[in-house]
Every structure is written in structure tokens, then in C-alpha cells.
């Protein structure tokens, strides 16, 4: 019963935040839609912001899984690394991600680099860069610093897309530039890998 109530609140909140945004989402409306009370919301999430944060974490976990799958389908570790970043940037075309993660998320929860999932993302990217470096695919770089720079570039590109007048054209420009930027990491003799 507890997990069912929580799931109903997450689903109703997610729908409301995706369609009308955080500021205009009424707790009374989405709790009523879920057939629950404000008391249930307060019990499970403390407040509207707590529910929003839980939804951001839920979406973030779904995004991470999709990106892992995309990377795994690539023909090489290097291409998987590149495709994972491009996949993140392209997700900025999805209305739910635009609204919740890229527009309202920073406004409600602050700088995305301080979100609970940020450290895991940096650690995973750092490990990928260390592996690519050990395999001789990329130049000698500071893996953590490079991971932070790449993450910053992809996050900014995604926000650019989400707030663009023409998101599809902006996405094409951003992904082309991102791919070219990452090519600069390749060792000259590894460009064919």
C-alpha cells in the first residue's frame, strides 16, 4: 500500500510538472487526480519540492539507463563514449525532459552539478576516460577535469536546446559540435579506432 501510494503520487506529480511546470502545478490537483490527500504527499515527500526532487531522480535514472544502452550498442568503446554524450544532448528534444530536468530542475533544485546524481555521472565518465587512455585511444589528459569539462559542455548544450526557438536545428548544431570537440581527445594514431 505504501509503495502504491508513493507510485501514484510520483505519476500524478510527473504528469503535472511535465505539462504545466513546477510553478503552476497545484498540489491539490495532482493529489486529487491520484485519489490521495495532501497528507499523503507530506508523509511521503515532505512537500511539493520533495516530490519534484524524487521525480527528477526517477527521470535521471531512466535517462542514465537509456544512455548506458545506447553506449553498449556502439561498435567500439570510444564510439559508445561519444554516443552516450550525444544521447544526453538529444534527450533535450523530449518535452518532459525539457520542462522537468532542464528548465524547472535548475530553478527549483539549484545548480545541476550539485544534484545527488552528479557525482556518479562524473565518476563514470572519469572511469571511461581512464580506460580509453589506458587503451591508447585518447591523449594523456586529466580524466576527472576532462570529465567535468565534457559534462559541462553537454549540460549547457542540452539547456540551449531546451530553451531554443528551434530545438531540432539547435540539437543538430550542438551534437555536431560536441562530436567534433570530443574528437580532439583522440590520439592522432587512434583516429581510425
Amino acid at each position: 500500500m505504501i509503495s502504491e501510494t508513493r507510485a501514484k503520487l510520483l505519476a500524478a506529480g510527473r504528469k503535472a510538472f511535465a505539462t504545466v511546470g513546477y510553478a503552476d502545478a497545484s498540489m491539490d490537483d495532482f493529489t486529487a487526480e491520484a485519489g490521495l490527500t495532501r497528507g499523503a504527499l507530506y508523509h511521503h515527500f515532505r512537500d511539493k519540492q520533495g516530490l519534484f526532487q524524487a521525480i527528477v531522480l526517477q527521470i535521471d535514472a531512466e535517462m542514465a539507463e537509456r544512455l548506458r544502452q545506447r553506449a553498449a550498442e556502439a561498435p567500439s568503446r570510444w564510439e559508445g563514449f561519444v554516443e552516450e554524450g550525444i544521447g544526453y544532448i538529444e534527450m533535450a528534444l523530449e518535452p518532459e525532459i525539457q520542462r522537468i530536468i532542464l528548465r524547472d530542475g535548475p530553478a527549483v533544485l539549484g545548480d545541476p552539478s550539485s544534484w545527488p546524481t552528479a557525482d556518479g555521472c562524473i565518476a563514470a565518465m572519469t572511469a571511461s576516460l581512464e580506460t580509453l587512455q589506458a587503451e591508447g585511444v585518447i591523449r594523456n589528459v586529466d580524466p576527472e577535469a576532462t570529465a567535468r569539462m565534457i559534462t559541462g559542455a553537454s549540460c549547457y548544450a542540452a539547456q540551449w536546446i531546451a530553451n531554443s526557438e528551434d530545438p531540432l536545428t539547435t540539437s543538430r548544431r550542438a551534437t555536431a559540435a560536441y562530436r567534433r570537440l570530443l574528437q580532439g581527445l583522440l590520439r592522432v594514431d587512434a583516429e581510425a579506432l
Side-chain angles (χ1 to χ4, degrees), residues 69-104:
Q69 289 176 2
R70 183 172 175 146
E73 293 170 4
S76 70
R77 189 184 316 272
W78 167 251
E79 228 5 81
F81 180 78
V82 174
E83 283 302 314
E84 194 168 359
I86 288 175
Y88 177 82
I89 293 168
E90 289 176 345
M91 285 181 187
L93 292 169
E94 299 174 25
E96 180 183 62
I97 291 172
Q98 282 181 4
R99 170 75 79 160
I100 295 174
I101 301 295
L102 299 170
R103 289 191 195 133
D104 288 348

Side-chain angles (χ1 to χ4, degrees), residues 1 3 8 13-14 22 37 40 44 48-49 57 62 71 89 97 111 115 118 126 132 134 136 152 154 164 168 173 181:
M1 184 76 120
S3 61
K8 283 182 181 179
R14 188 167 171 166
Y22 180 85
T37 65
H44 288 277
K48 180 178 169 181
Q49 184 175 342
L57 293 173
E62 292 167 6
I89 293 168
I97 291 172
D111 179 7
W115 294 1
T126 298
L132 289 165
S154 61
S164 174
L168 186 58
R173 290 176 61 202
L181 180 72

Side-chain angles (χ1 to χ4, degrees), residues 85-155:
I86 288 175
Y88 177 82
I89 293 168
E90 289 176 345
M91 285 181 187
L93 292 169
E94 299 174 25
E96 180 183 62
I97 291 172
Q98 282 181 4
R99 170 75 79 160
I100 295 174
I101 301 295
L102 299 170
R103 289 191 195 133
D104 288 348
V108 176
L109 302 176
D111 179 7
S113 69
S114 68
W115 294 1
T117 55
D119 289 339
C121 177
I122 295 297
M125 187 175 287
T126 298
S128 292
L129 288 166
E130 288 169 346
T131 300
L132 289 165
Q133 191 168 309
E135 292 175 348
V137 176
I138 64 170
R139 303 169 192 262
N140 288 332
V141 296
D142 176 329
E144 181 186 357
T146 303
R148 290 182 183 281
M149 298 297 286
I150 292 170
T151 299
S154 61
C155 288

